[in-house]
């Protein structure tokens, strides 16, 4: 069955520190992978996506993610976190024929001043 | 419109009542999706429309839930005989085509069943 696991429910980092959010997926075919961010009262915003090609993808707001097929992972990284990055982050895998997304349960990021 | 619009933003209803949630997708987007997000969880897929037809409704939890998109643009999610367990944020997304492309999400309708 298709699934996405985000092992960390809650992460706290200091402002300026680096960040890595973990994502593991289970999908029978070539995965199409996404990271979305959801701020309080806001809709889901796409940070970045991986369809094919270079396994290191760059996104908005200084985020990047690396696709590792051997580990079934698509971890999100940022070298230096800003207070405005505090939000809920969701990893998702997309079905190639319909585009429907299967989401992980999310990771809440708290940023300490 | 500029983005995906969902109305109402909040809806409180009594158990057993019928509710309708509306989604206005981005103009020209042929694909439309409904998701449900319970507290502390990621969004869960409900139904996918390509044009006017429901191409995948495998996520609808039971026959109390129904969705339509009669003219291929606006969609309405309908819930009959609401239950307290239906309380959640209902998200709508649209994209420019079938298959995997970037989906744009609305801000959701928060449904509370009391």
């Amino acid at each position: 069955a298709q699934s996405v696991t985000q092992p960390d429910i809650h992460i706290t980092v200091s402002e300026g520190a680096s960040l890595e959010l973990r994502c593991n997926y289970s999908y029978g075919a070539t995965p199409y992978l996404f990271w979305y961010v959801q701020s309080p009262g806001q809709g889901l915003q796409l940070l970045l996506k991986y369809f094919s090609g270079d396994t290191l993808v760059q996104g908005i707001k200084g985020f990047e993610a690396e696709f590792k097929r051997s580990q079934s992972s698509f971890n999100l990284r940022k070298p230096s976190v800003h207070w405005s990055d505090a939000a809920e982050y969701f990893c998702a895998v997309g079905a190639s024929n319909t585009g429907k997304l299967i989401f992980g349960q999310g990771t809440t990021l708290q940023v300490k001043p | 419109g500029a983005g995906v619009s969902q109305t109402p933003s909040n809806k409180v209803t009594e158990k057993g009542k019928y509710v309708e949630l509306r989604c206005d997708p981005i103009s020209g987007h042929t694909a439309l999706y409904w998701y449900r997000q319970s507290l502390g969880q990621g969004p869960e897929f409900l139904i996918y429309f390509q044009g006017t037809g429901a191409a995948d409704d495998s996520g609808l939890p039971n026959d109390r839930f129904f969705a339509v998109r009669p003219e291929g643009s606006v969609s309405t999610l309908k819930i009959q005989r609401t239950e307290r367990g239906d309380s959640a944020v209902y998200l709508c997304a649209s994209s420019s085509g079938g298959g995997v492309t970037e989906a744009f999400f609305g801000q959701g309708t928060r449904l509370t069943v009391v």
Side-chain angles (χ1 to χ4, degrees), chain A residues 38 46 90 95-96 98 100-101, chain B residues 33 35 37 42 56 99-100 102-103:
Chain A
Q38 187 177 43
L46 180 67
F90 293 96
S96 59
T98 65
K100 79 179 186 185
L101 299 172
Chain B
Y33 306 83
Y35 293 84
Q37 185 175 20
D56 183 350
V100 180
E102 180 177 352

Side-chain angles (χ1 to χ4, degrees), chain B residues 1-84:
Chain B
V4 178
S5 176
Q6 292 188 246
T7 54
S9 55
N10 281 282
K11 175 71 176 178
V12 180
T13 190
E14 293 181 345
K15 179 176 177 296
K17 298 290 188 183
Y18 167 84
V19 296
E20 291 188 351
L21 311 179
R22 177 187 169 103
C23 173
D24 279 90
I26 292 172
S27 178
H29 278 190
T30 59
L32 185 145
Y33 306 83
W34 284 99
Y35 293 84
R36 178 168 72 173
Q37 185 175 20
S38 300
L39 194 63
Q41 301 296 315
E44 293 180 294
F45 170 79
L46 295 177
I47 188 169
Y48 156 59
F49 287 90
Q50 182 58 246
T52 60
D56 183 350
D57 65 358
S58 61
L60 295 178
N62 51 59
D63 61 6
R64 295 188 296 106
F65 288 74
F66 189 72
V68 296
R69 195 186 185 198
E71 298 178 357
S73 56
V74 171
S75 176
T76 305
L77 178 66
K78 308 180 180 195
I79 311 174
Q80 299 177 322
R81 305 183 304 281
T82 52
E83 299 177 357
R84 292 197 178 88

